């Protein structure tokens, strides 16, 4: 089996299945292009009694839709979205690798630009850091503020900053999708405007020709 840091290639019927894995960070986001007729999958290792929150959006592509699958380490389907443009899903996890896939096999022409974000909670690392901090709490009774209070304040600020970063990332994704829609509408309006202009020019030329024929003297002069 290939290392987790590299891209895995799996067979899924006639579709080509790509697979990649993220390091167990608390917050990860990724934007990629999914070609027509392809299915792309990613793996995320999780711990028991942790929480996995996944949000995705289709930023560009005809229809702005994609099929989404989320599978447990046992291969059970936890979430299935069919032809959706966005979605938010949260699951309580167990030990193992969770697989989530984006499927564009129903499209034969249009590729899709997809953004997704992973938010991992209760992964155990932060709890271990808190236990390390508690080792130094002994003997701080004379301080106006104990180290536990400082740690609680730091964790509160950290949580709010993480939430702010998440919201800003989502807003950027919404902005990118809206911009793509506006550019598509702009190109469509320009195309049909040129078509209408061409029709008007042709109709005007035909009308001028017909009027000119009506006023021509078709009588032949006798010699």
């Amino acid at each position: 089996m290939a290392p987790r840091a590299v891209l895995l290639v799996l067979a899924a019927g006639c579709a080509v299945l790509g697979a990649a894995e993220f390091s167990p960070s608390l917050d990860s986001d990724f934007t990629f292009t999914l070609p027509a007729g392809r299915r792309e999958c990613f793996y995320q290792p999780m711990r028991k009694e942790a929480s996995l929150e996944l949000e995705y959006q289709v930023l560009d592509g005809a229809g702005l839709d994609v099929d989404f699958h989320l599978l447990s380490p046992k291969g059970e389907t936890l979430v299935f979205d069919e032809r959706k443009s966005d979605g938010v899903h949260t699951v309580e996890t167990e030990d193992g690798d969770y697989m989530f896939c984006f499927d564009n096999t129903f499209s034969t022409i249009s590729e899709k630009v997809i953004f997704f974000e992973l938010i991992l909670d209760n992964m155990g690392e932060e709890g271990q850091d808190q236990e390390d901090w508690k080792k130094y709490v002994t003997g701080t009774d004379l301080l106006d503020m104990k180290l536990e209070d400082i740690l609680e304040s730091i964790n509160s600020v950290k949580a709010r900053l993480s939430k702010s970063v998440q919201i800003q990332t989502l807003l950027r994704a919404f902005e990118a999708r809206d911009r793509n829609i506006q550019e598509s509408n702009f190109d469509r309006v320009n195309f049909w405007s040129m078509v209408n202009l061409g029709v008007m020019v042709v109709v005007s030329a035909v009308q001028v020709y017909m009027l000119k024929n009506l006023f021509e003297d078709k009588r032949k002069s006798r010699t």
Side-chain angles (χ1 to χ4, degrees):
M1 181 178 295
R4 297 185 179 277
V6 300
L7 187 67
L8 301 178
V9 180
L10 304 177
C14 295
V16 177
L17 174 64
E21 181 186 2
F22 295 94
S23 60
S25 59
L26 295 179
D27 192 352
S28 302
D29 57 86
F30 188 50
T31 302
F32 69 101
T33 300
L34 181 60
R38 294 283 297 274
R39 184 187 183 196
E40 197 80 15
C41 291
F42 302 87
Y43 289 93
Q44 175 60 49
M46 296 298 298
R47 299 183 179 181
K48 187 177 181 181
E49 297 181 354
S51 175
L52 169 63
E53 180 179 348
L54 191 148
E55 177 166 356
Y56 69 92
Q57 296 179 34
V58 182
L59 303 180
D60 195 14
L64 293 177
D65 55 358
V66 72
D67 291 345
F68 173 77
H69 305 259
L70 177 60
L71 284 77
S72 70
K74 299 178 181 179
E76 301 173 348
T77 300
L78 302 178
V79 177
F80 173 63
D81 291 341
E82 185 176 6
R83 306 289 292 271
K84 293 291 186 66
S85 61
D86 56 71
V88 181
H89 302 287
T90 303
V91 294
E92 300 298 324
T93 63
E94 57 187 20
D95 289 330
D97 294 339
Y98 283 75
M99 181 175 72
F100 53 98
C101 302
F102 300 94
D103 194 340
N104 194 32
T105 56
F106 59 84
S107 178
T108 57
I109 300 176
S110 176
E111 64 180 17
K112 307 294 173 61
V113 178
I114 300 174
F115 162 84
F116 67 87
E117 181 178 21
L118 294 176
I119 301 175
L120 314 180
D121 292 328
N122 301 326
M123 291 298 289
E125 295 180 357
E126 183 176 353
Q128 183 64 37
D129 293 339
Q130 292 180 0
E131 293 297 328
D132 294 338
W133 273 86
K134 291 180 180 179
K135 296 179 182 178
Y136 302 96
V137 174
T138 305
T140 59
D141 296 337
L142 300 178
L143 298 178
D144 294 333
M145 179 179 292
K146 294 183 179 181
L147 291 179
E148 291 134 328
D149 299 329
I150 299 176
L151 179 61
E152 183 179 356
S153 300
I154 293 175
N155 288 334
S156 177
V157 174
K158 178 183 177 182
R160 294 182 181 181
L161 288 176
S162 299
K163 189 64 176 180
S164 299
V165 172
Q166 177 189 0
I167 293 175
Q168 291 176 356
T169 303
L170 295 179
L171 289 177
R172 287 197 300 269
F174 279 120
E175 180 185 2
R177 184 173 66 176
D178 293 340
R179 183 172 64 250
N180 291 330
I181 293 175
Q182 292 175 358
E183 291 177 354
S184 177
N185 292 337
F186 177 75
D187 294 337
R188 189 176 294 110
V189 168
N190 285 340
F191 172 76
W192 286 110
S193 296
M194 295 301 296
V195 171
N196 290 333
L197 179 60
V199 171
M200 291 176 61
V201 171
V202 172
V203 170
S204 299
V206 171
Q207 289 179 343
V208 170
Y209 176 77
M210 294 179 64
L211 289 174
K212 183 178 180 181
N213 286 342
L214 289 177
F215 289 98
E216 282 183 352
D217 188 3
K218 296 183 180 180
R219 291 177 301 175
K220 296 181 179 180
S221 57
R222 296 181 180 179
T223 57

